[in-house]
Amino acid sequence: MDVLFNGLVDAIRLLLTGDQDSWSITALTLRVSLTATAIALLIGLPLGATVALARFPGRRIALAAVNTGMGLPPVVVGLFVTVLLWRSGPVGGLGLLYTPTAMVIAQAAIATPIVVALVAAALQQVDPDFRVQMRALGATPIRALAALLGEARLPLLAAAMAAFGAVVSEVGAAQMVGGNLAGQTRVLTTAAVLATSRGQFSLAIAFGLILLLIAFAVNLSLTLIQQRQPVLR
Amino acid sequence: MRRTLTVVFAWAAAVLLAGCGTAATSGGTASKPTVEKSLILATTTSTQDSGLLDELLPVFTRDSGWQVKTLAVGSGQAIELGRRGEADALLVHSPAAETEFVAEGSVGSRRLVMHNDFVLIGPKADPAEVQGTSSAEAMKKIAAAEAVFISRGDESGTHAKEKGLWSKAGVTPDGSWYQSTGQGMGETLRVASEKAGYTLSDRATYLAQRGTLALDVLSEGDPGLLNVYHVIEMTKKAGDLVRPDGAKAFADWIVGPSAQQLIGEFGRAKFGQPLFIPDAGKDEATLGQ
């Protein structure tokens, strides 16, 4: 148990003393995971809206596919991205493997299906009459869609949080495509795994606590946006 | 409603822009290495878990200007990465596999760097009574007693050595007492400690973690337990993007006097004994004598 206590003390000490390595690991974690989440949102919102609202053949299969994608194992994504980025792979010449960019690519691939599936679910639960009403009131399709997205803002922000939570906490893909290089691609999860394998349990727990803390900070800011009273004009 | 939506999109866009900015700079430093000086070193978990690389690599980068991307994997995977041209230099300890690999012809040179030794460790209670026996004898006794043995099971250099010891003892390990973790040395030591099992470890990783383990050294010092590390340079024959210049710079440096001195001093202050013994330029046959 004293390991847990020492971990807590270490975490506070790391946060207060501003240990250079821990700060850069934390900053990189935030940078990679927030970028990946943002890319997933930009791709996932329109895709999710399409799957939810458009009528096209194979729509149900597409829906089932994205729902499956929510459970995409990070290790599988990591392996796939690694093989693509290998020197002998199709885009190996870019030298992207073991860089933060590679980690963003892998994490965006993990987060996108989550966003698509949750956005689709969110938009489908809005009363179908809502869109008809909007159109009847003379709204352009774009305005109608914007209103619809506004109506579904609670689950939409939940989608962003789920996506961020999934990528910030995953270790398989980050380890494989990033390589856990000190000062270059070491993030909180891979640093915690390394500290554990070195027998530095307090340090590992400290990294874990910092991870929880930043996940909380990000989710808190999203929740504050989510819970704000809608402004009707 | 629209405002909330705007906030979400603004947030996403801002993060994305910030991300692109940094990604672009990191992409810049990442794509430069193909022109600039960056090499990939595939090595074993023991050199990373013991902390040796943290000591050596910053000095190498300062001395030579080469950035090093280190992949700490088992020796088997390290050799495979070299074979595919995914790594430029290898620092490994699986001599039989290395000799075979060198014979394939894509290797530039293979040079002796350092050694330490493997130790057979297990619970203090020592249920199979292997304390003080030779390694082959100890393996026989463990198998006969069906005492829990935790194997790396990951085709690493340590795993290769362990398999060699079993065959020297004339035993095929099989049954529920023989368990395989498939993980690195640090993790495997942890499992052995928790399950009160025996395992084979390199001395450096064991010493570095001894404080957190309920395991003792039970058999050591046998010539069959030598753990020898070589540096291998890859050539363009393994792949077009291999950096033989980086491989040569690293290999020349690690067998050079300054690195050899660092290796000899590493761990001395903390453990009272060096974790690795520098061997550059020696004849492998004379080691451990």
Side-chain angles (χ1 to χ4, degrees), chain A residues 17 40 49 74 98 125 180 185:
Chain A
T17 57
Y98 314 126
Q125 56 99 56
N180 190 29
T185 59

Side-chain angles (χ1 to χ4, degrees), chain A residues 42 87-88 99 181 197-198, chain B residues 16 30 48 54 86 88 209:
Chain A
L42 291 181
R87 285 172 171 174
S88 52
T99 65
L181 308 178
S197 72
R198 283 181 171 176
Chain B
L16 195 63
Q48 172 153 295
D54 289 351
E86 304 298 341
D88 306 304
Q209 307 207 7

Side-chain angles (χ1 to χ4, degrees), chain B residues 111-116 226-230 254-256 259-261 263-264 276-284 286-288:
Chain B
R111 282 181 274 176
L112 181 61
V113 176
M114 62 190 181
H115 81 275
N116 59 8
L226 267 188
N227 180 22
V228 185
Y229 291 80
H230 285 84
I254 201 163
V255 300
Q260 290 283 306
Q261 193 184 347
I263 291 170
F276 297 94
I277 293 144
D279 290 324
K282 288 189 205 163
D283 178 1
E284 198 177 333
T286 67
L287 295 184

Side-chain angles (χ1 to χ4, degrees), chain A residues 182-204:
Chain A
Q184 297 175 47
T185 59
R186 186 162 297 169
V187 289
L188 286 166
T189 50
T190 58
V193 169
L194 178 63
T196 306
S197 72
R198 283 181 171 176
Q200 301 165 330
F201 299 116
S202 303
L203 185 63

Side-chain angles (χ1 to χ4, degrees), chain A residues 11-87:
Chain A
I12 294 167
R13 190 179 49 78
L14 284 180
L15 287 173
L16 291 182
T17 57
D19 170 69
Q20 185 59 46
D21 288 346
S22 310
W23 278 120
S24 67
I25 290 172
T26 307
L28 181 71
T29 307
L30 273 172
R31 197 181 101 200
V32 167
S33 294
L34 285 175
T35 311
T37 308
I39 292 172
L41 285 174
L42 291 181
I43 301 172
L45 273 176
L47 270 183
T50 310
V51 177
L53 306 175
R55 294 286 171 267
F56 56 89
R59 177 176 161 274
R60 284 179 192 176
I61 292 173
L63 213 51
V66 293
N67 284 331
T68 309
M70 283 215 289
L72 213 54
V75 168
V76 174
V77 175
L79 183 59
F80 195 71
V81 174
T82 304
V83 171
L84 286 180
L85 297 182
W86 258 347
R87 285 172 171 174

Side-chain angles (χ1 to χ4, degrees), chain A residues 128-166:
Chain A
D129 290 345
F130 182 82
R131 266 198 305 165
V132 180
Q133 251 172 15
M134 291 302 290
R135 299 300 300 275
L137 290 170
T140 61
I142 301 285
R143 286 288 300 267
L145 182 64
L148 183 66
L149 289 174
E151 196 66 14
R153 73 187 180 285
L154 291 175
L156 288 180
L157 279 160
M161 289 185 234
F164 178 74

